[in-house]
Short mmCIF file of all heavy atoms in Angstrom, two decimals:
data_model
loop_
_atom_site.label_atom_id
_atom_site.label_comp_id
_atom_site.label_asym_id
_atom_site.label_seq_id
_atom_site.Cartn_x
_atom_site.Cartn_y
_atom_site.Cartn_z
N PHE A 188 0.51 -3.54 -9.14
CA PHE A 188 1.83 -3.23 -9.65
C PHE A 188 1.80 -2.04 -10.59
O PHE A 188 1.45 -2.17 -11.74
CB PHE A 188 2.41 -4.41 -10.44
CG PHE A 188 2.55 -5.66 -9.64
CD1 PHE A 188 1.72 -6.73 -9.88
CD2 PHE A 188 3.52 -5.76 -8.66
CE1 PHE A 188 1.86 -7.89 -9.14
CE2 PHE A 188 3.65 -6.91 -7.92
CZ PHE A 188 2.82 -7.98 -8.16
N SER A 189 2.13 -0.89 -10.11
CA SER A 189 2.31 0.20 -11.05
C SER A 189 3.24 1.18 -10.39
O SER A 189 3.23 1.33 -9.18
CB SER A 189 0.98 0.86 -11.39
OG SER A 189 0.72 1.91 -10.51
N CYS A 190 4.09 1.78 -11.18
CA CYS A 190 4.92 2.80 -10.57
C CYS A 190 4.60 4.13 -11.23
O CYS A 190 4.15 4.17 -12.38
CB CYS A 190 6.40 2.46 -10.66
SG CYS A 190 7.14 2.77 -12.25
N SER A 191 4.78 5.18 -10.51
CA SER A 191 4.37 6.49 -11.02
C SER A 191 5.12 6.83 -12.30
O SER A 191 4.60 7.51 -13.17
CB SER A 191 4.60 7.55 -9.96
OG SER A 191 5.90 7.44 -9.44
N GLN A 192 6.35 6.32 -12.40
CA GLN A 192 7.15 6.59 -13.59
C GLN A 192 6.42 6.15 -14.85
O GLN A 192 6.24 6.92 -15.77
CB GLN A 192 8.47 5.80 -13.46
CG GLN A 192 9.69 6.59 -13.86
CD GLN A 192 9.93 7.73 -12.87
OE1 GLN A 192 9.66 7.57 -11.69
NE2 GLN A 192 10.43 8.85 -13.37
N CYS A 193 6.01 4.89 -14.86
CA CYS A 193 5.34 4.35 -16.04
C CYS A 193 4.00 5.02 -16.25
O CYS A 193 3.56 5.25 -17.35
CB CYS A 193 5.13 2.85 -15.90
SG CYS A 193 6.68 1.97 -15.73
N PHE A 194 3.34 5.31 -15.14
CA PHE A 194 2.03 5.92 -15.22
C PHE A 194 2.10 7.21 -16.03
O PHE A 194 1.26 7.48 -16.87
CB PHE A 194 1.49 6.20 -13.81
CG PHE A 194 0.11 6.77 -13.82
CD1 PHE A 194 -0.99 5.97 -14.05
CD2 PHE A 194 -0.09 8.13 -13.61
CE1 PHE A 194 -2.27 6.51 -14.07
CE2 PHE A 194 -1.37 8.66 -13.61
CZ PHE A 194 -2.46 7.84 -13.84
N PHE A 195 3.13 8.01 -15.79
CA PHE A 195 3.21 9.30 -16.47
C PHE A 195 3.85 9.22 -17.85
O PHE A 195 3.68 10.10 -18.66
CB PHE A 195 3.96 10.31 -15.60
CG PHE A 195 3.21 10.64 -14.35
CD1 PHE A 195 3.68 10.26 -13.11
CD2 PHE A 195 1.98 11.28 -14.43
CE1 PHE A 195 2.96 10.54 -11.97
CE2 PHE A 195 1.26 11.56 -13.29
CZ PHE A 195 1.75 11.18 -12.06
N ASN A 196 4.57 8.13 -18.10
CA ASN A 196 5.19 7.98 -19.42
C ASN A 196 4.25 7.32 -20.42
O ASN A 196 4.47 7.34 -21.61
CB ASN A 196 6.48 7.16 -19.31
CG ASN A 196 7.55 7.95 -18.60
OD1 ASN A 196 7.53 9.18 -18.61
ND2 ASN A 196 8.47 7.25 -17.98
N ASP A 197 3.22 6.71 -19.91
CA ASP A 197 2.31 5.94 -20.74
C ASP A 197 1.05 6.75 -21.03
O ASP A 197 0.23 6.99 -20.16
CB ASP A 197 1.97 4.64 -19.99
CG ASP A 197 1.04 3.77 -20.82
OD1 ASP A 197 0.74 4.15 -21.96
OD2 ASP A 197 0.62 2.73 -20.30
N ASP A 198 0.90 7.15 -22.26
CA ASP A 198 -0.23 8.00 -22.63
C ASP A 198 -1.57 7.29 -22.50
O ASP A 198 -2.59 7.89 -22.25
CB ASP A 198 -0.09 8.50 -24.07
CG ASP A 198 0.95 9.60 -24.17
OD1 ASP A 198 1.21 10.25 -23.13
OD2 ASP A 198 1.50 9.80 -25.24
N SER A 199 -1.53 6.00 -22.67
CA SER A 199 -2.78 5.25 -22.61
C SER A 199 -2.98 4.65 -21.22
O SER A 199 -3.66 3.66 -21.05
CB SER A 199 -2.77 4.14 -23.64
OG SER A 199 -1.68 3.28 -23.41
N ALA A 200 -2.36 5.26 -20.23
CA ALA A 200 -2.43 4.74 -18.86
C ALA A 200 -3.86 4.42 -18.47
O ALA A 200 -4.77 5.20 -18.67
CB ALA A 200 -1.85 5.75 -17.89
N GLY A 201 -4.02 3.24 -17.93
CA GLY A 201 -5.33 2.89 -17.43
C GLY A 201 -6.16 2.08 -18.41
O GLY A 201 -7.04 1.35 -18.01
N SER A 202 -5.85 2.20 -19.69
CA SER A 202 -6.71 1.52 -20.66
C SER A 202 -6.15 0.19 -21.10
O SER A 202 -6.89 -0.70 -21.48
CB SER A 202 -6.95 2.42 -21.86
OG SER A 202 -5.71 2.75 -22.45
N THR A 203 -4.82 0.02 -21.04
CA THR A 203 -4.25 -1.18 -21.62
C THR A 203 -3.67 -2.16 -20.61
O THR A 203 -3.62 -3.35 -20.85
CB THR A 203 -3.10 -0.82 -22.59
OG1 THR A 203 -2.21 0.05 -21.90
CG2 THR A 203 -3.63 -0.12 -23.83
N ASN A 204 -3.20 -1.64 -19.49
CA ASN A 204 -2.38 -2.45 -18.63
C ASN A 204 -3.10 -3.54 -17.83
O ASN A 204 -3.64 -3.28 -16.77
CB ASN A 204 -1.63 -1.55 -17.65
CG ASN A 204 -0.15 -1.80 -17.74
OD1 ASN A 204 0.26 -2.92 -18.00
ND2 ASN A 204 0.64 -0.77 -17.53
N GLU A 205 -3.06 -4.73 -18.33
CA GLU A 205 -3.63 -5.86 -17.60
C GLU A 205 -2.49 -6.58 -16.90
O GLU A 205 -1.43 -6.73 -17.45
CB GLU A 205 -4.32 -6.83 -18.56
CG GLU A 205 -5.56 -6.28 -19.22
CD GLU A 205 -6.72 -6.10 -18.25
OE1 GLU A 205 -6.80 -6.90 -17.31
OE2 GLU A 205 -7.51 -5.17 -18.42
#
Side-chain angles (χ1 to χ4, degrees):
F188 300 109
S189 91
C190 79
S191 50
Q192 224 67 34
C193 299
F194 182 77
F195 294 113
N196 289 335
D197 181 4
D198 285 337
S199 59
S202 58
T203 51
N204 235 327
E205 293 291 328

